[in-house]
Amino acid sequence: MSNLRFKSVEEASSRKAVKVELPKERVDKYYASQVFNRQKMFEYLPSETYRALVHAIDNKQPISRKLADSVAEGMKRWAIDCGARHYTHWFHPLTDGTAEKHDAFIDHDGKGGVVENFSGKLLVQQEPDASSFPSGGIRNTFEARGYSAWDISSPAFIVDGTLCIPTIFISYTGESLDYKTPLLKALNAVDKAATRVARFFDPEVNHVNSYLGWEQEYFLVDEALYDARPDLVMTGRTLMGHESAKNQQLEDHYFGAIPSRVAAFMLDLETECHKLGIPAKTRHNEVAPNQFELAPIYEETNLANDHNLLLMSLIAEVARRHNFRVLLHEKPFAGINGSGKHNNWSLGTDKGVLLFAPGKTPEQNLQFIAFVVNVMAAVHKHNALMKASIMSATNAHRLGANEAPPAIISIFLGSQLSKILKDIENKDIDAEIILARKEGRDLKVAQIPELIIDNTDRNRTSPFAFTGNRFEYRAVGSSANCGAAMIALNAAVADQLNSFADKVEARVEAGEEKTHAILSEVRSLITESKPIHFDGNGYSDEWKEEAARRGLDTETSAPKIFDVYQAPETVEMFRRVGIYTPKELQARNEVKWEMYSKKLQIESRVLGDLAINHIIPAATRYESLLLDNVYKIKELFKGEKADKIARQEMAAIEQMADHMAAIKSGVETMVEHRHKANRKKTEREKAIAYHDTVAPVMEEIRQHIDALELMVDNEIWPLPKYRELLFIR
């Protein structure tokens, strides 16, 4: 192992700076070249087919099989013209990744040869094996049938010569086995509910769209060093490793100059993204060393989520082309920042009005306030669900640590908006709502123009912050499917908006003036949702105590956090908006608990193997060298000086022996706890046992290994260290 390590370190250190080769074409010349978007539809489909398909997409309507046949023929011609030989239904099983099965465009021609063929039936529906994906008991091995069905709202695309068709994935008995199906239902629910409320202010509104702008954080590691770390290969994070003398304490990496090797990788990645219609726009160094971020232009939520999942596959492939491995784990390195995927979420009407943006008239501002307050009420009522939607075995390492949001959901509004809500609550209910515009600030420096200052600051400690015309949900993990958080958020908001609309309509029917009715309900919601509003320091211990007094969910055990999906109020909310059945919710919880246990099981196995078969032998070898040195000292030197040196050496030997004994004992205890956990009758009990008994012992073992890392000769230590992993050369 040590030989591999030093070969890897030498290889990684010898990487030379790479010259960044700019694409020879402008971005607009190749953007979406691998996407069957409306431009390609117009070119390859008959005009009647094109108009019918666009109408169905815009109005969220199903298409006929006859129309599907015509679309399939045009899509096939385009794909083959682009060099594609296969097609696949591309879907999002409950693994946080994607799945695909490739079939060639061929069929028998009846003459001993083949002909290229692709029908509407193959486009619209296929049959993956539903028992081979996580289903939470909905499907068994002997009940394998499941269906994937085309999502016409997300355009098909080509990757590596395969036409990828975005689809939903459901069981033979109709339950969803993916993230896309409930996400589409949630988006439909928030569309209908938000449209009801938006029509109080503009009767011409027909639809409200949900928008998402994700910010993908990630780490890069030299491939040679990655290959020499079995824990990174098997689990995505370092299960051991003492912090580097220098990590992020100088705050010099954030927004720093991008290393040339990384810049070349980023440009390659952006080019591939743009070919696939992913509007990658922003790139920069993040806070931790070797940590970076990519962010796109905002898109409709369903498409944005598809693009993020596509990016997560794409980024791994491009990284390898540049001798990197990408780490999407939320906490691959202890002691420095973890990685998130901030979900910037907003709602907008089909008239081009952003509902979380202040307007120019009192009525527009009332609409803005009404929607903001309803979001507050929804997040307040379902703050435990919001946390459960982003919780996982991997994200649990990040929340509350090193600048990640705390594991308590609260909303930051900023000083101006907070004051307005307070005024509405306490003053005359008919008072006119006036929102301050952005203001200019003259710095009195001749070379610097006037700055335009936003009317609200930002709070990096808030998990759910209002940031001007959107809410930034900062607690989503870097490896997660955004769909989980977006399902919960859009569903909760849809349910709250429906309740709000019902109450306003009832008031108006009873003879109350509409604006007064809206303000009355807004005022009531402001009072009710006060506990969720917090503009202070979310990292402080005082906030944890205050949040508990306010009745917010403060649970920190991931397996117990998942319980909220089974809470009666959660089950009833999802039923009202038509997203999940009780059976589907139970199944998803079974998957969550099972995934949690399996990930900790894998980590504990890897840790045990590394501890016993790599760390202990290396430490024993060094211990033998020290013992040999003691004997030599006593043979060569006599008297008090020799005894003093020998005592110092023996103290180090004894200290190492204590650490090694603790590691061996810890591994035995960990294995025993793991075996007991595996014998638990339910997935929930098993997950809780892993959390309560296995994970703490893993942390104890790590502490002793990290202590040995500082004591054992660097040439003997078997694994690349943080100082080697974290700084690209």
Side-chain angles (χ1 to χ4, degrees):
M1 186 66 184
S2 59
N3 289 336
L4 173 61
R5 180 223 165 175
F6 288 112
K7 180 180 178 182
S8 299
V9 172
E10 183 180 350
E11 181 183 348
S13 300
S14 66
R15 307 280 190 212
K16 294 182 179 180
V18 176
K19 183 179 179 181
V20 180
E21 297 287 347
L22 296 175
K24 293 181 171 49
E25 290 184 291
R26 288 178 7 190
V27 175
D28 60 338
K29 299 299 182 182
Y30 59 83
Y31 188 82
S33 59
Q34 301 297 299
V35 183
F36 195 62
N37 57 14
R38 296 194 181 195
Q39 178 185 349
K40 310 296 193 317
M41 292 178 192
F42 184 80
E43 181 179 352
Y44 280 87
L45 299 181
S47 57
E48 290 184 7
T49 300
Y50 171 78
R51 287 194 295 270
L53 179 59
V54 169
H55 182 270
I57 294 171
D58 289 344
N59 292 279
K60 304 178 182 180
Q61 297 173 348
I63 65 172
S64 67
R65 190 54 60 93
K66 180 180 179 181
L67 179 60
D69 284 334
S70 182
V71 173
E73 176 59 29
M75 191 183 290
K76 181 199 72 174
R77 288 193 297 108
W78 168 74
I80 291 174
D81 285 351
C82 292
R85 298 170 62 108
H86 295 78
Y87 64 91
T88 182
H89 274 199
W90 183 79
F91 56 96
H92 314 167
L94 301 178
T95 59
D96 280 342
T98 59
E100 53 197 69
K101 173 178 70 73
H102 298 196
D103 288 297
F105 288 112
I106 60 171
D107 209 344
H108 289 297
D109 66 355
K111 303 173 185 176
V114 294
V115 62
E116 291 170 331
N117 184 41
F118 186 55
S119 66
K121 179 181 178 180
L122 295 175
L123 168 63
V124 169
Q125 179 179 318
Q126 290 192 18
E127 186 184 323
D129 183 349
S131 69
S132 298
F133 293 99
S135 69
I138 288 178
R139 296 273 83 188
N140 295 305
T141 302
F142 61 91
E143 297 173 321
R145 197 182 299 274
Y147 298 110
S148 55
W150 179 31
D151 170 18
I152 65 172
S153 66
S154 186
F157 54 91
I158 295 173
V159 173
D160 294 333
T162 297
L163 172 66
C164 300
I165 303 156
T167 63
I168 64 169
F169 180 42
I170 62 172
S171 74
Y172 177 72
T173 47
E175 295 88 1
S176 64
L177 298 176
D178 66 343
Y179 286 103
K180 182 182 275 284
T181 304
L183 177 60
L184 290 173
K185 290 180 179 180
L187 297 178
N188 183 58
V190 81
D191 173 13
K192 291 179 179 178
T195 297
R196 285 183 66 190
V197 175
R199 283 176 176 168
F200 291 154
F201 306 94
D202 181 0
E204 300 301 316
V205 172
N206 295 312
H207 288 290
V208 170
N209 293 315
S210 171
Y211 296 101
L212 171 64
W214 40 264
E215 303 170 26
Q216 181 69 63
E217 295 175 346
Y218 60 93
F219 281 85
L220 289 178
V221 175
D222 273 298
E223 189 168 36
L225 299 177
Y226 173 91
D227 290 340
R229 290 286 310 220
D231 49 355
L232 280 179
V233 174
M234 301 294 288
T235 73
R237 76 179 182 105
T238 53
L239 300 176
M240 60 194 69
H242 197 282
E243 67 177 20
S244 170
K246 177 185 183 297
N247 46 51
Q248 66 186 51
Q249 67 266 45
L250 294 180
E251 300 171 332
D252 56 343
H253 191 258
Y254 190 49
F255 281 20
I258 299 172
S260 58
R261 283 183 61 206
V262 177
F265 153 77
M266 287 179 165
L267 181 60
D268 193 1
L269 177 61
E270 286 176 355
T271 302
E272 296 296 333
C273 284
H274 293 155
K275 289 178 182 176
L276 289 165
I278 303 172
K281 182 177 178 67
T282 301
R283 66 186 189 191
H284 61 82
N285 289 4
E286 257 298 335
V287 173
N290 274 22
Q291 188 185 34
F292 308 95
E293 180 180 297
L294 180 148
I297 301 171
Y298 291 21
E299 299 178 286
E300 184 276 326
T301 296
N302 178 48
L303 180 59
N305 192 43
D306 280 357
H307 279 165
N308 181 248
L309 288 165
L310 181 54
L311 170 84
M312 289 166 71
S313 298
L314 190 64
I315 194 172
E317 178 185 341
V318 175
R320 296 197 69 173
R321 295 207 294 250
H322 293 262
N323 298 311
F324 289 127
R325 285 299 185 107
V326 66
L327 304 179
L328 294 178
H329 192 289
E330 283 76 4
K331 197 74 170 177
F333 302 102
I336 63 174
N337 276 26
S339 294
K341 181 154 48 193
H342 303 171
N343 279 203
N344 295 278
W345 170 79
S346 65
L347 298 174
T349 72
D350 56 349
K351 305 301 180 184
V353 176
L354 285 177
L355 295 173
F356 300 140
K360 296 181 180 179
T361 67
E363 185 178 42
Q364 291 171 342
N365 285 333
L366 177 57
Q367 176 177 257
F368 159 67
I369 292 295
F371 274 94
V372 167
V373 169
N374 271 281
V375 171
M376 284 181 61
V379 175
H380 175 232
K381 289 178 183 176
H382 299 284
N383 70 96
L385 175 63
M386 294 297 104
K387 182 165 67 177
S389 73
I390 54 84
M391 182 52 68
S392 66
T394 53
N395 205 22
H397 291 286
R398 165 181 167 261
L399 294 181
N402 290 88
E403 216 176 274
I408 301 170
I409 301 299
S410 63
I411 289 181
F412 168 82
L413 296 176
S415 56
Q416 184 191 171
L417 189 51
S418 296
K419 181 179 183 303
I420 289 170
L421 297 190
K422 186 176 181 180
D423 288 345
I424 293 174
E425 181 186 19
N426 297 329
K427 293 184 178 180
D428 180 3
I429 199 167
D430 292 318
E432 190 174 84
I433 299 173
I434 301 174
L435 290 157
R437 303 286 103 195
K438 291 184 179 182
E439 297 179 352
R441 179 173 296 172
D442 187 357
L443 298 183
K444 307 299 183 183
V445 179
Q447 298 92 334
I448 305 298
E450 181 182 64
L451 300 181
I452 304 300
I453 306 301
D454 286 287
N455 50 27
T456 183
D457 203 346
R458 301 181 70 186
N459 186 331
R460 305 297 294 178
T461 73
S462 174
F464 197 90
F466 179 72
T467 55
N469 59 9
R470 63 194 182 275
F471 286 92
E472 183 181 19
Y473 195 13
R474 301 185 63 246
V476 183
S478 53
S479 67
N481 185 321
C482 297
M486 289 295 100
I487 291 164
L489 177 58
N490 283 285
V493 170
D495 188 57
Q496 172 57 40
L497 288 171
N498 278 327
S499 174
F500 178 79
D502 289 343
K503 291 177 180 178
V504 170
E505 288 169 359
R507 283 176 175 269
V508 172
E509 288 176 6
E512 191 171 350
E513 193 271 328
K514 184 178 71 174
T515 299
H516 191 277
I518 293 171
L519 271 170
S520 296
E521 289 303 322
V522 164
R523 189 179 197 182
S524 176
L525 290 178
I526 292 172
T527 302
E528 291 173 11
S529 58
K530 268 185 178 180
I532 203 70
H533 178 199
F534 179 67
D535 286 355
N537 180 7
Y539 294 156
S540 68
D541 291 334
E542 292 80 6
W543 166 235
K544 295 176 184 177
E545 297 172 2
E546 173 65 20
R549 285 194 294 270
R550 294 185 183 192
L552 301 181
D553 187 275
T554 58
E555 180 62 64
T556 57
S557 167
K560 293 179 181 178
I561 287 171
F562 297 147
D563 287 346
V564 71
Y565 275 99
Q566 300 296 298
E569 60 272 20
T570 302
V571 174
E572 179 59 21
M573 183 274 288
F574 279 122
R575 184 201 63 77
R576 281 195 300 266
V577 290
I579 294 171
Y580 287 128
T581 65
K583 183 178 181 180
E584 288 173 321
L585 284 172
Q586 176 62 39
R588 283 164 193 269
N589 259 28
E590 293 295 323
V591 172
K592 289 176 183 292
W593 286 317
E594 183 181 13
M595 286 291 186
Y596 183 90
S597 299
K598 285 181 176 179
K599 287 184 178 181
L600 262 67
Q601 182 184 68
I602 292 169
E603 287 187 351
S604 67
R605 286 175 172 174
V606 173
L607 178 60
D609 171 52
L610 288 175
I612 300 301
N613 298 318
H614 298 275
I615 303 302
I616 293 295
T620 301
R621 180 182 169 195
Y622 184 60
E623 186 182 45
S624 297
L625 292 175
L626 292 180
L627 284 168
D628 185 55
N629 192 44
V630 170
Y631 283 114
K632 290 178 179 178
I633 289 172
K634 289 196 172 186
E635 287 178 7
L636 293 174
F637 302 100
K638 303 295 181 182
E640 185 178 338
K641 183 175 182 180
D643 290 340
K644 181 179 179 181
I645 296 174
R647 283 196 300 271
Q648 291 174 341
E649 293 287 284
M650 286 303 300
I653 291 169
E654 290 175 5
Q655 192 175 3
M656 288 181 60
D658 288 342
H659 286 306
M660 286 190 284
I663 291 169
K664 292 176 183 178
S665 175
V667 170
E668 290 177 2
T669 302
M670 179 181 68
V671 171
E672 181 182 349
H673 287 326
R674 195 172 69 219
H675 289 166
K676 288 181 179 178
N678 291 338
R679 289 195 292 269
K680 296 293 183 181
K681 293 182 179 179
T682 68
E683 292 296 341
R684 179 181 184 274
E685 290 174 336
K686 185 187 297 185
I688 290 174
Y690 266 98
H691 175 275
D692 293 348
T693 64
V694 178
V697 181
M698 290 175 61
E699 187 58 35
E700 291 174 7
I701 294 170
R702 176 180 187 144
Q703 290 175 7
H704 290 289
I705 293 175
D706 290 356
L708 282 178
E709 182 182 315
L710 294 180
M711 302 176 71
V712 174
D713 189 322
N714 188 63
E715 292 188 4
I716 295 176
W717 193 253
L719 302 175
K721 298 181 178 181
Y722 273 24
R723 67 168 182 259
E724 296 156 348
L725 291 166
L726 283 172
F727 298 94
I728 291 174
R729 292 170 288 279

